[in-house]
Every structure is written in C-alpha cells, then in structure tokens.
Amino acid sequence: MSEQRLQLISHDLCPYVQRAMITLTEKGVGHECIYIDLANKPDWFRAISPLGRVPVLRVGDAVLFESAVICEYLEETTPGRMHPEDPVARAVHRAWIEHASATLAAIAGLYGAPDAEAHGARRRTLQERLAWLERQLGEGPYFAGEPFHLVDAAWAPVFRYLDTFEAIGEPALLDGLERVTTYRRALAARPSVRTAVPEGYPERLRLFLARRESPLGALARAAA
Ligand SMILES: N[C@@H](CCC(=O)N[C@@H](CS)C(=O)NCC(=O)O)C(=O)O
C-alpha cells in the first residue's frame, strides 16, 4: 500500500478523471481531490502538468498524468486486483480501455458536430464503436463477468454521457445492442461509478453542451 499522500487534480466533467475516481473508490484509497477550472488553469497546475490536462495524481512530490498511467499505478501499489491475472486477458483489457478512449473521442465529435450532416455521420461512428463493444461483451454484468475491473472504470463514463444525451432528446444510441444496454445498467448501479462525479453533474453537463454550436448543443439549450 502506498504510504504517500495522494492528491487528485480533477475537473467536474472530465470522463478521464472519473476513471481515476472510480479506481480510488474501488480500492478504498484515501486521497484529496482538487477541482480546477480548465478554462482558466491555475499557474500552479500549468507548472506541474506537461500536457495541461487532468487527471493528475500527485504522489508525494511525484506528478503522474494520463488516466491509464494513474490507474495502473494504483493497481500496482494498492490491494485488490482490478486487472486479470492472465497476461493475455490483461492485455485484452488494456486494448479495450483504449477502445473506450476512442469512444469518448467519438462522443466529443458528436457533441461538437457543426451541422446535421456531420451529426449523422458522427452518430454512426459512435454506434460502430459501441457495436464492437456489443460483440466483445459476454453475459455480464461487467466486461468480464462478475469482477469489476479497470476496463469497467474506463467504460462507465461513456454511458454517463448517453444518460444526458437521451435526457435532452437525442435519439437512443444503443438500439439493438442488448449486451451493451445490460452493461450500461450494471455500471450505472455501481456505487463507485455513482459517486465518481460531483453533485449536480447532469445539469453541469447540460450547460457545457448548451455552449456548443452543434445539434446536440441546440437540444441542450432547448432542454433548459
Ligand atoms: N489521455 C488523457 C486525456 C485527458 C483529457 O483529455 N483531459 C481533458 C479534460 S476531460 C483536459 O484536461 N483538457 C484540457 C486541455 O486539453 O487543455 C487521459 O487519459 O488522462
């Protein structure tokens, strides 16, 4: 167990921060959480963050950045395995964490789509990513059955976006994807997932979307 003081530098809407939060909660690791405004990054943050992005985990004097690196560090240094023992299975999980990141990029593409045509094309890209997940998933409830793994912490924030998209009127994205639908439900019920975002998250996300000049932005404004 790490003896050093852990400080997580966060942003209230960041899906990559959620991965670290979920991992910290699953492993019961004490930490301090500091939220920053990414539109107005504090000088102290610029001074320690080479990429200027959250999450950052401070471990004593060391600065860790990139959510995958942070989660792997926590995996290695704290009790409770969240990666499979088998090296091939572990590599498969890491690959699907990458796919979750590509899916988050597709989500950002969707809410940033400048017009209806781009919106349609980007919806299809996102649905293709999710269809790949459908083919990969087993009986559930999680990615690899009953145990909750790091790969599950990586996918949970994907579905949190879909909750808000659907609440503001975007048509469902998971039609016909039964395993993904079951997975989404199981993740939403997990306590570590529920507590990975601050109070008022759905409305904060709606306001973030409402500032986008995009079809999803228009839906978010209309849902006020
Ligand atoms: N690959 C990174 C992505 C992190 C990321 O994109 N963070 C965003 C917020 S969700 C950020 O800090 N953006 C600020 C910026 O790029 O200036 C990770 O996995 O940690």
Side-chain angles (χ1 to χ4, degrees), residues 40-216:
N40 188 16
K41 295 174 188 167
D43 289 342
W44 63 262
F45 176 71
R46 290 180 188 280
I48 63 164
S49 171
L51 299 175
R53 298 197 300 223
V54 293
V56 162
L57 185 71
R58 276 173 144 165
V59 183
D61 292 333
V63 173
L64 308 185
F65 50 98
E66 288 297 312
S67 59
V69 173
I70 291 168
C71 292
E72 296 271 350
Y73 166 76
L74 293 170
E75 172 68 358
E76 285 175 14
T77 57
T78 61
R81 282 195 75 93
M82 290 183 69
H83 256 331
E85 290 280 354
D86 175 64
V88 174
R90 197 158 61 241
V92 168
H93 281 216
R94 287 183 175 129
W96 282 88
I97 289 171
E98 281 302 309
H99 190 73
S101 298
T103 306
L104 286 173
I107 284 174
L110 182 63
Y111 66 65
D115 53 38
E117 192 184 340
H119 183 87
R122 293 179 191 190
R123 251 187 86 92
R124 286 191 290 282
T125 300
L126 176 55
Q127 285 175 313
E128 278 164 24
R129 300 243 197 286
L130 293 164
W132 273 98
L133 179 63
E134 177 75 13
R135 293 190 289 275
Q136 176 67 23
L137 289 174
E139 293 302 315
Y142 300 119
F143 185 86
E146 285 294 339
F148 187 90
H149 289 105
L150 287 184
V151 69
D152 298 307
W155 278 97
V158 167
F159 300 114
R160 213 191 285 277
Y161 278 104
L162 303 196
D163 295 343
T164 295
F165 290 178
E166 289 169 11
I168 63 175
E170 176 70 13
L173 282 142
L174 299 187
D175 281 350
L177 303 183
E178 285 174 23
R179 289 184 173 199
V180 179
T181 300
T182 303
Y183 186 40
R184 171 193 191 170
R185 209 172 291 133
L187 289 174
R190 186 89 181 174
S192 64
V193 172
R194 296 171 77 93
T195 58
V197 291
E199 192 91 2
Y201 169 90
E203 177 61 6
R204 292 181 204 214
L205 180 58
R206 189 193 66 76
L207 291 170
F208 168 84
L209 295 172
R211 291 196 294 273
R212 298 286 166 291
E213 285 307 325
S214 67
L216 256 175

